[in-house]
Protein backbone atom coordinates (compact mmCIF):
# COMPACT_ATOMS: atom_id res chain seq x y z
CA UNK A 1 0.00 0.00 0.00
CA UNK A 2 3.01 2.32 0.37
CA UNK A 3 2.99 5.49 2.44
CA UNK A 4 -0.26 6.98 3.72
CA UNK A 5 -1.50 9.79 5.96
CA UNK A 6 -1.84 8.58 9.55
CA UNK A 7 -4.16 11.46 10.46
CA UNK A 8 -3.79 14.78 12.27
CA UNK A 9 -1.72 15.39 15.41
CA UNK A 10 -3.71 14.84 18.59
CA UNK A 11 -4.13 18.53 19.42
CA UNK A 12 -5.38 19.29 15.91
CA UNK A 13 -7.75 16.30 15.99
CA UNK A 14 -9.23 17.58 19.25
CA UNK A 15 -9.73 20.97 17.64
CA UNK A 16 -11.44 19.38 14.63
CA UNK A 17 -13.84 17.81 17.10
CA UNK A 18 -14.84 21.28 18.27
CA UNK A 19 -15.90 22.56 14.84
CA UNK A 20 -18.86 24.91 15.37
CA UNK A 21 -22.27 23.81 14.21
CA UNK A 22 -23.35 24.58 10.67
CA UNK A 23 -26.96 23.65 11.47
CA UNK A 24 -28.27 27.23 11.36
CA UNK A 25 -26.81 27.56 7.85
CA UNK A 26 -27.54 24.04 6.65
CA UNK A 27 -29.56 25.24 3.64
CA UNK A 28 -26.36 26.71 2.17
CA UNK A 29 -24.33 23.50 2.45
CA UNK A 30 -24.47 19.77 1.72
CA UNK A 31 -24.81 19.55 5.45
CA UNK A 32 -25.73 15.90 5.93
CA UNK A 33 -22.36 14.71 4.61
CA UNK A 34 -20.43 16.24 7.51
CA UNK A 35 -17.11 18.09 7.52
CA UNK A 36 -13.83 17.44 5.71
CA UNK A 37 -10.89 19.32 7.17
CA UNK A 38 -7.49 19.08 5.50
CA UNK A 39 -4.81 17.53 3.36
CA UNK A 40 -1.04 17.64 3.91
CA UNK A 41 1.11 18.30 6.93
CA UNK A 42 -0.52 19.63 10.09
CA UNK A 43 2.57 19.36 12.34
CA UNK A 44 3.67 23.00 11.76
CA UNK A 45 6.33 21.91 9.23
CA UNK A 46 4.57 23.35 6.15
CA UNK A 47 6.42 25.98 4.15
CA UNK A 48 3.27 26.80 2.20
CA UNK A 49 -0.26 27.13 3.58
CA UNK A 50 -2.98 26.99 0.92
CA UNK A 51 -6.59 27.82 1.69
CA UNK A 52 -9.43 27.03 -0.71
CA UNK A 53 -13.20 27.27 -0.42
CA UNK A 54 -14.82 24.02 0.67
CA UNK A 55 -14.69 20.23 0.16
CA UNK A 56 -16.51 18.59 -2.74
CA UNK A 57 -17.85 15.07 -3.45
CA UNK A 58 -14.46 13.45 -4.12
CA UNK A 59 -13.13 15.03 -0.94
CA UNK A 60 -15.99 13.48 1.04
CA UNK A 61 -15.10 10.00 -0.23
CA UNK A 62 -11.38 10.55 0.40
CA UNK A 63 -11.84 12.16 3.82
CA UNK A 64 -9.25 14.74 2.69
CA UNK A 65 -9.66 18.08 0.97
CA UNK A 66 -8.52 19.12 -2.51
CA UNK A 67 -8.42 15.60 -3.94
CA UNK A 68 -10.71 15.91 -7.00
CA UNK A 69 -10.17 17.92 -10.17
CA UNK A 70 -9.54 21.18 -8.28
CA UNK A 71 -7.18 19.40 -5.89
CA UNK A 72 -5.20 17.86 -8.73
CA UNK A 73 -4.83 21.32 -10.24
CA UNK A 74 -3.58 22.59 -6.87
CA UNK A 75 -1.19 19.64 -6.67
CA UNK A 76 0.20 20.71 -10.03
CA UNK A 77 0.66 24.21 -8.61
CA UNK A 78 2.60 22.75 -5.66
CA UNK A 79 4.65 20.58 -8.01
CA UNK A 80 5.77 23.66 -9.95
CA UNK A 81 7.11 25.02 -6.66
CA UNK A 82 9.03 21.79 -6.00
CA UNK A 83 6.83 20.95 -3.01
CA UNK A 84 6.21 17.25 -2.51
CA UNK A 85 5.32 17.27 1.21
CA UNK A 86 5.88 20.63 2.92
CA UNK A 87 2.40 22.10 2.53
CA UNK A 88 -0.85 22.26 4.45
CA UNK A 89 -4.19 22.54 2.66
CA UNK A 90 -7.42 23.61 4.36
CA UNK A 91 -10.66 25.38 3.45
CA UNK A 92 -12.62 28.46 4.46
CA UNK A 93 -15.57 26.15 5.15
CA UNK A 94 -15.38 22.66 6.65
CA UNK A 95 -18.65 21.66 4.95
CA UNK A 96 -19.35 21.45 1.22
CA UNK A 97 -20.85 24.71 0.02
CA UNK A 98 -23.75 24.73 -2.42
CA UNK A 99 -22.34 27.06 -5.12
CA UNK A 100 -25.61 28.92 -5.73
CA UNK A 101 -25.73 29.82 -2.04
CA UNK A 102 -22.19 31.17 -1.68
CA UNK A 103 -23.19 34.79 -1.17
CA UNK A 104 -25.84 33.87 1.40
CA UNK A 105 -23.35 31.73 3.33
CA UNK A 106 -20.64 34.42 3.41
CA UNK A 107 -21.65 35.89 6.83
CA UNK A 108 -20.73 32.56 8.42
CA UNK A 109 -17.04 33.28 7.74
CA UNK A 110 -17.06 36.20 10.18
CA UNK A 111 -19.44 34.79 12.78
CA UNK A 112 -17.44 34.87 16.00
CA UNK A 113 -17.50 31.16 16.84
CA UNK A 114 -16.55 30.11 13.32
CA UNK A 115 -13.95 32.85 13.00
CA UNK A 116 -12.30 31.91 16.30
CA UNK A 117 -12.31 28.18 15.45
CA UNK A 118 -10.84 28.70 11.99
CA UNK A 119 -8.14 31.12 13.13
CA UNK A 120 -7.14 28.81 15.97
CA UNK A 121 -6.84 25.97 13.47
CA UNK A 122 -4.60 28.05 11.20
CA UNK A 123 -2.41 28.94 14.17
CA UNK A 124 -2.21 25.29 15.27
CA UNK A 125 -0.95 24.06 11.89
CA UNK A 126 1.52 26.82 10.98
CA UNK A 127 4.97 27.35 12.46
CA UNK A 128 8.27 29.14 11.94
CA UNK A 129 9.00 27.28 8.70
CA UNK A 130 6.02 28.88 6.92
CA UNK A 131 7.17 30.99 3.97
CA UNK A 132 3.96 31.91 2.14
CA UNK A 133 0.16 31.69 2.14
CA UNK A 134 -1.95 31.17 -0.99
CA UNK A 135 -5.67 31.95 -0.98
CA UNK A 136 -7.53 30.20 -3.80
CA UNK A 137 -10.76 32.05 -4.53
CA UNK A 138 -13.12 34.52 -2.87
CA UNK A 139 -13.99 32.50 0.26
CA UNK A 140 -10.32 31.81 0.93
CA UNK A 141 -9.44 35.48 0.47
CA UNK A 142 -12.04 36.40 3.07
CA UNK A 143 -10.75 33.76 5.49
CA UNK A 144 -7.17 35.02 5.21
CA UNK A 145 -8.19 38.66 5.56
CA UNK A 146 -10.13 37.74 8.71
CA UNK A 147 -7.05 36.07 10.23
CA UNK A 148 -5.94 38.98 12.40
CA UNK A 149 -2.79 37.33 13.77
CA UNK A 150 -1.60 35.62 10.60
CA UNK A 151 2.16 35.12 10.24
CA UNK A 152 4.23 37.85 8.63
CA UNK A 153 4.73 36.05 5.31
CA UNK A 154 3.66 36.97 1.77
CA UNK A 155 0.02 36.28 0.91
CA UNK A 156 -0.97 35.47 -2.66
CA UNK A 157 -4.61 35.83 -3.71
CA UNK A 158 -5.35 33.84 -6.86
CA UNK A 159 -8.48 32.43 -8.55
CA UNK A 160 -9.96 29.18 -7.29
CA UNK A 161 -8.90 26.15 -9.38
CA UNK A 162 -12.53 25.73 -10.48
CA UNK A 163 -12.74 29.34 -11.70
CA UNK A 164 -15.08 29.98 -14.62
CA UNK A 165 -12.53 32.44 -16.04
CA UNK A 166 -9.83 30.07 -17.32
CA UNK A 167 -7.64 32.79 -18.82
CA UNK A 168 -7.61 34.84 -15.63
CA UNK A 169 -6.83 31.66 -13.68
CA UNK A 170 -3.83 30.58 -15.73
CA UNK A 171 -2.43 34.13 -15.99
CA UNK A 172 -2.71 34.68 -12.23
CA UNK A 173 -1.30 31.25 -11.36
CA UNK A 174 1.63 31.75 -13.75
CA UNK A 175 2.51 35.05 -12.10
CA UNK A 176 2.15 33.57 -8.61
CA UNK A 177 4.44 30.65 -9.44
CA UNK A 178 7.11 33.05 -10.73
CA UNK A 179 6.99 35.06 -7.50
CA UNK A 180 6.67 32.08 -5.16
CA UNK A 181 9.71 30.35 -6.63
CA UNK A 182 11.80 33.16 -5.16
CA UNK A 183 10.20 32.68 -1.72
CA UNK A 184 9.37 29.02 -1.08
CA UNK A 185 12.15 26.47 -0.59
CA UNK A 186 11.55 23.28 -2.61
CA UNK A 187 11.54 19.88 -0.94
CA UNK A 188 14.72 17.83 -1.47
CA UNK A 189 12.96 15.55 -3.96
CA UNK A 190 11.11 18.40 -5.68
CA UNK A 191 12.03 20.48 -8.72
CA UNK A 192 10.88 24.08 -9.03
CA UNK A 193 12.48 24.45 -12.47
CA UNK A 194 9.77 22.48 -14.27
CA UNK A 195 7.80 24.48 -16.87
CA UNK A 196 5.48 27.20 -15.60
CA UNK A 197 1.93 27.54 -16.95
CA UNK A 198 1.60 28.26 -20.65
CA UNK A 199 -1.03 30.28 -22.48
CA UNK A 200 -3.78 27.96 -21.27
CA UNK A 201 -4.22 25.23 -18.69
CA UNK A 202 -2.97 21.87 -20.00
CA UNK A 203 -3.21 18.25 -18.83
CA UNK A 204 0.48 18.46 -17.91
CA UNK A 205 -0.44 21.14 -15.35
CA UNK A 206 -2.35 18.57 -13.28
CA UNK A 207 -0.56 16.34 -10.76
CA UNK A 208 -1.87 13.28 -8.88
CA UNK A 209 -2.51 13.62 -5.18
CA UNK A 210 0.28 11.75 -3.35
CA UNK A 211 -0.72 8.56 -1.56
CA UNK A 212 1.02 10.01 1.50
CA UNK A 213 -1.77 12.60 1.69
CA UNK A 214 -4.56 10.01 1.72
CA UNK A 215 -5.78 7.56 4.39
CA UNK A 216 -4.79 3.91 4.40
CA UNK A 217 -6.90 1.68 2.21
CA UNK A 218 -8.13 4.03 -0.49
CA UNK A 219 -7.79 2.83 -4.12
CA UNK A 220 -4.45 3.62 -5.73
CA UNK A 221 -6.17 5.69 -8.43
CA UNK A 222 -8.03 8.00 -6.04
CA UNK A 223 -6.66 11.50 -6.53
CA UNK A 224 -5.71 10.96 -10.17
CA UNK A 225 -8.59 11.54 -12.58
CA UNK A 226 -6.46 11.67 -15.74
CA UNK A 227 -8.43 8.64 -16.95
CA UNK A 228 -11.71 10.55 -16.62
CA UNK A 229 -10.38 13.57 -18.45
CA UNK A 230 -9.54 11.24 -21.37
CA UNK A 231 -12.84 9.36 -21.19
CA UNK A 232 -15.78 9.89 -23.56
CA UNK A 233 -17.80 11.62 -22.37
CA UNK A 234 -15.17 13.46 -20.33
CA UNK A 235 -15.63 13.67 -16.57
CA UNK A 236 -13.18 15.53 -14.37
CA UNK A 237 -14.16 13.92 -11.07
CA UNK A 238 -14.72 10.29 -10.14
CA UNK A 239 -17.40 11.30 -7.62
CA UNK A 240 -20.50 13.28 -8.57
CA UNK A 241 -23.80 14.41 -7.11
CA UNK A 242 -26.60 12.97 -9.30
CA UNK A 243 -29.32 15.37 -10.40
CA UNK A 244 -31.92 12.94 -9.05
CA UNK A 245 -30.78 13.51 -5.45
CA UNK A 246 -28.32 16.37 -5.07
CA UNK A 247 -28.53 16.52 -1.29
CA UNK A 248 -28.05 12.95 -0.11
CA UNK A 249 -26.53 10.77 -2.83
CA UNK A 250 -23.04 10.49 -4.28
CA UNK A 251 -22.04 8.38 -7.30
CA UNK A 252 -18.46 7.07 -7.27
CA UNK A 253 -17.04 5.80 -10.55
CA UNK A 254 -13.94 3.59 -10.81
CA UNK A 255 -11.69 3.25 -13.86
CA UNK A 256 -11.81 -0.03 -15.76
CA UNK A 257 -8.40 -1.45 -14.83
CA UNK A 258 -6.70 -4.12 -16.88
Amino acid sequence: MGDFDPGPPAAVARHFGKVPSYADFRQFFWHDWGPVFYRGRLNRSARLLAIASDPGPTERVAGRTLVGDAGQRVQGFLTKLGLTRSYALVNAYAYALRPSRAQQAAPLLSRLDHLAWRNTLLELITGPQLQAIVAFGAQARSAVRLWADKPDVPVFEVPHPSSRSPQALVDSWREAITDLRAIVTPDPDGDNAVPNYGAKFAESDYAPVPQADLPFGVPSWLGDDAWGRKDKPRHNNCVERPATDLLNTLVWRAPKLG
Side-chain angles (χ1 to χ4, degrees):
M1 298 295 292
D3 199 5
F4 64 93
D5 177 25
V12 179
R14 286 194 294 270
H15 187 68
F16 285 156
K18 299 175 184 176
V19 62
S21 174
Y22 278 63
D24 292 346
F25 292 79
R26 64 184 303 140
Q27 68 270 31
F28 307 140
F29 297 88
W30 277 290
H31 180 270
D32 295 349
W33 290 100
V36 177
F37 295 109
Y38 79 101
R39 178 162 72 80
R41 319 285 83 75
L42 302 186
N43 59 2
R44 308 184 79 233
S45 67
R47 290 195 287 277
L48 181 78
L49 170 67
I51 302 174
S53 172
D54 63 297
T58 307
E59 286 71 24
R60 177 62 281 166
V61 167
R64 299 291 183 271
T65 200
L66 288 167
V67 175
D69 185 75
Q72 292 160 48
R73 287 188 169 203
V74 168
Q75 197 64 38
F77 185 98
L78 299 171
T79 298
K80 292 180 190 298
L81 297 176
L83 293 176
T84 61
R85 289 189 60 83
S86 300
Y87 51 80
L89 312 178
V90 293
N91 286 310
Y93 297 112
Y95 282 69
L97 179 67
R98 299 175 69 182
S100 62
R101 307 295 180 85
Q103 289 187 327
Q104 296 166 287
L108 183 62
L109 292 173
S110 55
R111 202 169 92 166
L112 291 181
D113 55 343
H114 286 257
L115 177 64
W117 180 89
R118 187 177 63 249
N119 287 353
T120 298
L121 171 62
L122 297 176
E123 290 158 11
L124 279 172
I125 66 176
T126 54
Q129 297 184 59
L130 189 71
Q131 297 173 327
I133 299 168
V134 179
F136 288 99
Q139 288 80 24
R141 288 197 299 273
S142 295
V144 173
R145 292 174 184 179
L146 288 165
W147 187 8
D149 297 322
K150 62 179 172 290
D152 185 20
V153 299
V155 176
F156 292 79
E157 298 181 347
V158 300
H160 190 273
S162 299
S163 171
R164 295 182 180 178
S165 301
Q167 195 60 57
L169 183 151
V170 76
D171 289 344
S172 177
W173 282 27
R174 185 191 312 112
E175 182 179 354
I177 290 294
T178 299
D179 293 341
L180 281 161
R181 282 174 168 172
I183 296 169
V184 177
T185 306
D187 284 317
D189 56 345
D191 180 7
N192 68 355
V194 298
N196 201 340
Y197 296 99
K200 60 182 181 179
F201 202 94
E203 179 62 31
S204 58
D205 294 319
Y206 284 93
V209 173
Q211 288 286 296
D213 285 5
L214 299 171
F216 179 83
V218 300
S220 61
W221 47 263
L222 186 63
D224 184 1
D225 287 294
W227 63 277
R229 294 188 290 271
K230 297 174 185 175
D231 206 359
K232 296 183 185 300
R234 176 186 173 116
H235 51 93
N236 285 25
N237 290 284
C238 65
V239 187
E240 298 174 342
R241 302 185 192 278
T244 53
D245 184 11
L246 284 173
L247 291 181
N248 294 93
T249 299
L250 296 178
V251 176
W252 189 11
R253 187 181 327 189
K256 295 178 181 178
L257 302 176

